[in-house]
């Protein structure tokens, strides 16, 4: 399928108000889309279905499913990427009342941490922006060009809304019992090099995420390995990243249990998980909706080849089908509402946090999306 025809099909889905998702995986050139054939709003029951899932932060039981068996999959092989420089002339003090409110929230969180009630909590805020061009497919193309290393998507359901994003973080990848999970935390601005020094606050944040994942997986995953933390670039930002791999036990653990164990991670919630989530729900004073939820391919079937040597030395190949699941944390995202974009940004708060610096971090993260609008 050609580039032009691909986007014409997406345009047709929007015009007909039919659900769809279009996306490109990290470091890949091809783009896929699932075009749902009906208007039905579907949810996962137990994550055994096949399709594309879109889950909110607060309740995985309301995970929306675009089912494979009720959709047409289309794709084209390559979309040109660019190296556009993201810039903004917005003042940090443009919304001073928003800044004061966010800094007060951070201060409250630090006080709770120092009292021993929390170790880390991730606090976020939303921001509304008037668009000069609110065409979601135009914005999607800009995200594709600007973020070749991220999971870039455009998701739509007439009963839920329209979301776009370019997230740097994988939640979980499972293929034939082989599992990998990303531990991503810590943020600083990219200034032309990835050879940077990380402060104690960022190192501690990233270690919280790694330790949480290891603890949650220990009952269901064996042969666990953790890579060294390295600096990872996403747009105009740098993060600390480790990859955790292992083999899922054959003791009957299911996808729902794994997702419930991992989501939300300390990268988007905090430590301890329950206490941090309660603090967020009671103090952020807005609904995150699908921000810091997760999205991606659920139980897609991939074809593999197995070579077998028979006694007469003839080589024979056997095909096998394996379920492949790859889910991403919904960061660096926005929701379109008419001619406005609702942006969502946040940051991890620890005892080392400085409210002014935390505000600046959310501003830097907002530039990931603002840079293409």
């Amino acid at each position: 399928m050609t580039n032009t025809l691909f986007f014409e099909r997406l345009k047709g889905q929007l015009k007909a108000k039919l659900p769809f998702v279009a996306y490109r995986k990290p470091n890949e050139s091809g783009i896929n889309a699932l075009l749902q054939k009906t208007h039905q709003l579907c949810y996962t029951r137990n994550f055994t279905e096949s399709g594309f899932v879109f889950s909110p932060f607060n309740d995985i039981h309301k995970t929306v499913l675009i089912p494979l068996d009720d959709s047409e999959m289309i794709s084209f092989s390559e979309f040109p990427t660019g190296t556009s420089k993201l810039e903004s002339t917005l003042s940090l003090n443009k919304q001073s009342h928003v800044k004061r409110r966010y800094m007060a929230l951070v201060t409250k969180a630090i006080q709770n941490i120092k009292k021993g009630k929390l170790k880390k909590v991730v606090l976020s805020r939303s921001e509304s922006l008037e668009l000069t061009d609110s065409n979601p497919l135009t914005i999607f193309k800009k995200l594709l060009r600007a973020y070749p290393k991220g999971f870039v998507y455009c998701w739509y359901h007439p009963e839920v809304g329209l979301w776009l994003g370019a997230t740097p973080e994988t939640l979980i990848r499972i293929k034939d019992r082989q599992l990998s999970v990303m531990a991503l935390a810590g943020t600083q601005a990219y200034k032309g090099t990835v050879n940077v020094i990380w402060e104690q606050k960022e190192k501690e944040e990233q270690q919280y995420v790694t330790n949480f994942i290891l603890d949650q997986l220990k009952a269901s995953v064996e042969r666990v390995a953790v890579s060294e933390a390295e600096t990872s670039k996403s747009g105009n930002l740098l993060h600390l990243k480790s990859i955790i791999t292992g083999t899922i036990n054959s003791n009957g653990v299911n996808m729902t249990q794994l997702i419930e164990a991992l989501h939300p991670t300390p990268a988007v919630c905090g430590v301890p998980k329950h206490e941090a989530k309660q603090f967020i729900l009671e103090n952020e004073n807005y609904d995150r909706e699908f921000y810091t939820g997760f999205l991606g391919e659920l139980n897609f079937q991939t074809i593999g080849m197995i070579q077998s040597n028979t006694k007469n030395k003839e080589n024979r190949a056997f095909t096998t089908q394996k379920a492949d699941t790859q889910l991403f944390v919904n960061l660096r995202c926005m929701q379109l509402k008419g001619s406005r974009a609702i942006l969502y940004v946040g940051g991890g708060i620890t005892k080392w946090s400085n409210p002014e610096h935390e505000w600046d971090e959310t501003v830097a993260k907002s530039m990931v999306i603002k840079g293409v609008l």
Side-chain angles (χ1 to χ4, degrees):
M1 179 174 287
T2 65
N3 182 333
T4 301
L5 181 56
F6 181 90
F7 282 97
E8 282 298 317
R9 293 296 307 276
L10 299 187
K11 183 178 177 181
Q13 286 286 116
L14 278 171
K15 187 175 181 180
K17 296 185 177 180
L18 286 168
F20 76 89
V21 62
Y23 59 96
R24 186 188 63 204
K25 296 179 184 179
N27 300 307
E28 293 189 4
S29 58
I31 305 177
N32 301 314
L34 273 183
L35 312 180
Q36 190 169 318
K37 298 174 183 177
T38 68
H39 296 83
Q40 184 177 357
L41 179 58
C42 304
Y43 297 96
T44 57
R45 296 184 301 277
N46 51 18
F47 291 92
T48 59
E49 304 90 348
S50 295
F52 192 99
V53 291
F54 196 52
S55 185
F57 165 73
N58 191 31
D59 189 356
I60 70 167
H61 300 291
K62 292 182 180 179
T63 297
V64 181
L65 174 73
I66 295 180
L68 273 179
D69 59 6
D70 188 33
S71 303
E72 177 187 0
M73 173 167 270
I74 61 173
S75 62
F76 72 93
S77 58
E78 188 168 0
F79 187 87
T81 58
T83 55
S84 54
K85 185 178 180 181
L86 303 182
E87 297 179 341
S88 177
T89 57
L90 292 175
S91 166
L92 298 184
N93 297 312
K94 184 178 180 180
Q95 293 180 305
S96 58
H97 65 288
V98 176
K99 178 179 179 179
R100 287 194 299 271
R101 186 165 64 242
Y102 187 77
M103 288 177 60
L105 178 59
V106 171
T107 300
K108 183 176 181 179
I110 294 171
Q111 291 170 348
N112 273 260
I113 290 169
K114 289 181 176 179
K115 291 177 183 177
K117 296 180 180 179
L118 298 168
K119 291 183 178 180
K120 173 189 174 181
V121 62
V122 179
L123 300 177
S124 69
R125 62 183 179 86
S126 64
E127 183 176 339
S128 180
L129 186 68
E130 186 70 29
L131 300 175
T132 54
D133 185 351
S134 59
N135 184 330
L137 300 183
T138 300
I139 298 171
F140 180 48
K141 290 177 182 178
K142 290 181 179 179
L143 287 170
L144 288 168
R145 292 189 184 97
Y147 298 98
K149 294 184 178 180
F151 181 82
V152 181
Y153 76 91
C154 177
W155 185 96
Y156 169 72
H157 196 293
E159 295 186 38
V160 179
L162 199 156
W163 289 72
L164 301 103
T167 177
E169 184 172 354
T170 301
L171 176 65
I172 190 170
R173 172 80 186 269
I174 299 175
K175 186 175 183 179
D176 192 33
R177 292 180 57 209
Q178 299 305 305
L179 170 146
S180 66
V181 180
M182 181 185 293
L184 187 81
T187 302
Q188 58 178 284
Y190 175 68
K191 298 179 180 178
T193 179
V194 297
N195 296 316
V196 297
I197 296 174
W198 291 94
E199 295 182 359
Q200 181 63 31
K201 188 254 183 184
E202 285 79 21
K203 291 179 180 178
E204 188 175 89
E205 269 193 84
Q206 205 272 338
Q207 194 60 51
Y208 279 144
V209 179
T210 302
N211 292 344
F212 168 84
I213 293 170
L214 291 173
D215 184 64
Q216 295 301 108
L217 294 179
K218 64 184 179 183
S220 55
V221 178
E222 57 192 22
R223 295 190 288 276
V224 175
V226 184
S227 71
E228 291 290 331
E230 62 179 21
T231 301
S232 175
K233 180 177 178 291
S234 174
N236 59 342
L237 301 177
L238 299 176
H239 306 285
L240 273 172
K241 178 182 75 174
S242 295
I243 302 296
I244 299 163
T245 58
T247 303
I248 299 174
N249 295 333
S250 55
N251 59 2
V253 64
N254 59 51
M255 185 67 71
T256 303
Q257 291 171 319
L258 281 171
I259 292 174
E260 286 182 335
L262 291 173
H263 175 73
T265 73
V268 298
C269 183
V271 180
K273 179 178 176 178
H274 176 75
E275 287 80 358
K277 189 173 182 180
Q278 283 302 116
F279 185 91
I280 290 167
L281 296 176
E282 292 172 4
N283 292 280
E284 277 192 342
N285 295 320
Y286 86 104
D287 186 358
R288 288 188 180 187
E289 298 188 46
F290 292 90
Y291 168 62
T292 64
F294 59 86
L295 71 164
E297 296 175 344
L298 177 68
N299 298 320
F300 273 43
Q301 296 298 315
T302 59
I303 304 297
M305 300 293 291
I306 299 177
Q307 297 291 335
S308 176
N309 292 327
T310 63
K311 291 182 179 180
N312 61 4
K313 307 289 186 182
E314 292 179 351
N315 290 326
R316 296 184 179 179
F318 298 89
T319 61
T320 61
Q321 284 197 337
K322 300 178 180 180
D324 193 352
T325 293
Q326 192 168 11
L327 305 177
F328 298 84
V329 182
N330 195 22
L331 302 174
R332 315 294 187 269
C333 62
M334 64 176 166
Q335 183 180 18
L336 292 192
K337 292 186 175 181
S339 63
R340 301 195 69 81
I342 312 300
L343 314 183
Y344 301 85
V345 289
I349 311 303
T350 70
K351 63 183 179 182
W352 306 97
S353 292
N354 174 289
E356 182 81 31
H357 294 167
E358 296 301 333
W359 166 259
D360 291 348
E361 180 177 317
T362 67
V363 172
K365 287 177 177 177
S366 74
M367 299 309 168
V368 173
I369 297 298
K370 288 177 180 177
V372 299
L373 294 178

